[in-house]
Amino acid sequence: MCFPTFPSGIQFDDNDNISAGFTFCDAIRNPTTLGWTHGVVGTHSIIDNGCDGILADLECLAEQYLKANAEMQKAKKLSAKQRDELFQTLKSRFASNLNRHQGLDWEKVQARLDADPKKLWSVSEMERTGGEPDVVGYDKPTGAFIFVDCSAESPKGRRSVCYDRAGLESRKEHRPENSAMDMAADMGIEMLTEKQYRELQKLGTFDAKTSSWLKTPAEIRTLGGAIFADFRYGTVFVYHNGAQSYYGARAFRGSLRV
């Protein structure tokens, strides 16, 4: 079988899947993420984008995707001013909450962040969306510091979201703008598991008025559910909802290894 090859190197396999990876396929399935107003169903639909024919359509999509991806990567860099302001905020929070990271040195944390601009951008996104990230652990074998969202309540900039993309798309009406799993992936962080959430609650009181989605085990998610948790009556409670649900008082908390 002869596979059509585009200038960008994107190819199809025997099942008509694009071998460049999920991100490009996802862009085709959800073209509005790149500002495209016409949808695509499978690899055999024609897009009204000025190109002639299916292969030309896909070539144009590939070029637009690569351009948008390049612009996105460029945007994921902090200016010198943003970097300095973020470090000032993080250093102050680190010093004010020593119980979260006893025996750890801020200068070493900053050096790790300085050496990894992508991770630094992810921490800035945690901060921008209201997560108030702070160091809560250290992994000796790798030398990685572990940042977690430590805001008293579930981050304000991430609320009113379904659990994941499948849950969002299953809604016939009143769809939210995003999902928790998609937001976490875009930010470059991992959603907290139930175990990590319970460990966080040992460092303070979190979600006494709100709740947070938790990374859901596959056996629960395949049945349509998703889990979330909060802190009430001096106790951590873990509950379940349909993954398509969303609430104004529920976001998610993330972690990042730096």
Side-chain angles (χ1 to χ4, degrees):
M1 179 179 179
C2 181
F3 305 142
T5 304
F6 304 116
S8 58
I10 294 173
Q11 295 182 326
F12 292 98
D13 61 21
D14 286 316
N15 297 313
D16 282 337
N17 294 317
I18 296 175
S19 61
F22 172 78
T23 52
F24 180 74
C25 294
D26 193 51
I28 290 179
R29 295 191 190 100
N30 301 283
T32 55
T33 60
L34 298 184
W36 302 327
T37 58
H38 294 75
V40 184
V41 180
T43 59
H44 300 296
S45 297
I46 296 178
I47 315 302
D48 182 17
N49 59 6
C51 299
D52 183 19
I54 298 173
L55 296 182
D57 283 333
L58 290 173
E59 186 173 331
C60 285
L61 285 175
E63 291 175 356
Q64 291 180 58
Y65 165 74
L66 292 172
K67 180 180 179 181
N69 188 58
E71 292 176 350
M72 185 181 299
Q73 294 304 317
K74 183 178 180 180
K76 291 183 177 182
K77 292 183 179 179
L78 302 182
S79 67
K81 180 180 179 181
Q82 290 173 322
R83 171 189 169 282
D84 291 344
E85 290 177 347
L86 178 61
F87 276 141
Q88 183 177 358
T89 298
L90 295 175
K91 182 178 181 179
S92 176
R93 183 176 298 133
F94 186 95
S96 299
N97 298 278
L98 295 178
N99 65 301
R100 297 174 182 167
H101 33 254
Q102 294 181 8
L104 299 183
D105 181 6
W106 167 252
E107 298 304 321
K108 293 181 179 180
V109 176
Q110 181 168 336
R112 294 279 295 196
L113 285 170
D114 252 339
D116 196 331
K118 289 185 178 180
K119 295 290 181 68
L120 180 60
W121 179 85
S122 291
V123 172
S124 75
E125 285 297 283
M126 295 171 78
E127 184 69 32
R128 183 184 66 81
T129 54
E132 300 180 19
D134 197 6
V135 178
V136 301
Y138 176 68
D139 183 28
K140 289 185 178 180
T142 63
F145 294 97
I146 303 170
F147 277 84
V148 166
D149 289 307
C150 293
S151 54
E153 302 298 339
S154 205
K156 292 183 178 180
R158 309 177 207 164
R159 298 180 187 179
S160 296
V161 292
C162 295
Y163 175 73
D164 59 12
R165 175 62 51 177
L168 187 154
E169 293 184 345
S170 71
R171 297 187 65 93
K172 295 182 180 179
E173 57 182 4
H174 306 304
R175 291 184 176 183
E177 294 183 0
N178 213 335
S179 75
M181 290 294 283
D182 282 348
M183 287 190 73
D186 290 342
M187 295 166 67
I189 64 177
E190 294 285 336
M191 193 183 303
L192 293 190
T193 63
E194 178 181 345
K195 180 179 179 180
Q196 291 171 325
Y197 186 84
R198 291 184 181 278
E199 287 298 316
L200 174 64
Q201 291 286 7
K202 295 178 182 179
L203 300 177
T205 299
F206 305 94
D207 291 340
K209 299 178 181 179
T210 55
S211 62
S212 296
W213 285 115
L214 299 179
K215 190 171 184 179
T216 300
E219 58 269 25
I220 295 176
R221 185 65 196 92
T222 55
L223 295 175
I227 61 174
F228 66 97
D230 62 23
F231 187 83
R232 302 289 194 277
Y233 307 107
T235 303
V236 175
F237 289 93
V238 177
Y239 316 81
H240 62 85
N241 261 150
Q244 78 281 1
S245 61
Y246 65 95
Y247 300 90
R250 184 184 305 162
F252 71 92
R253 294 177 184 272
S255 66
L256 178 70
R257 299 170 68 88
V258 178

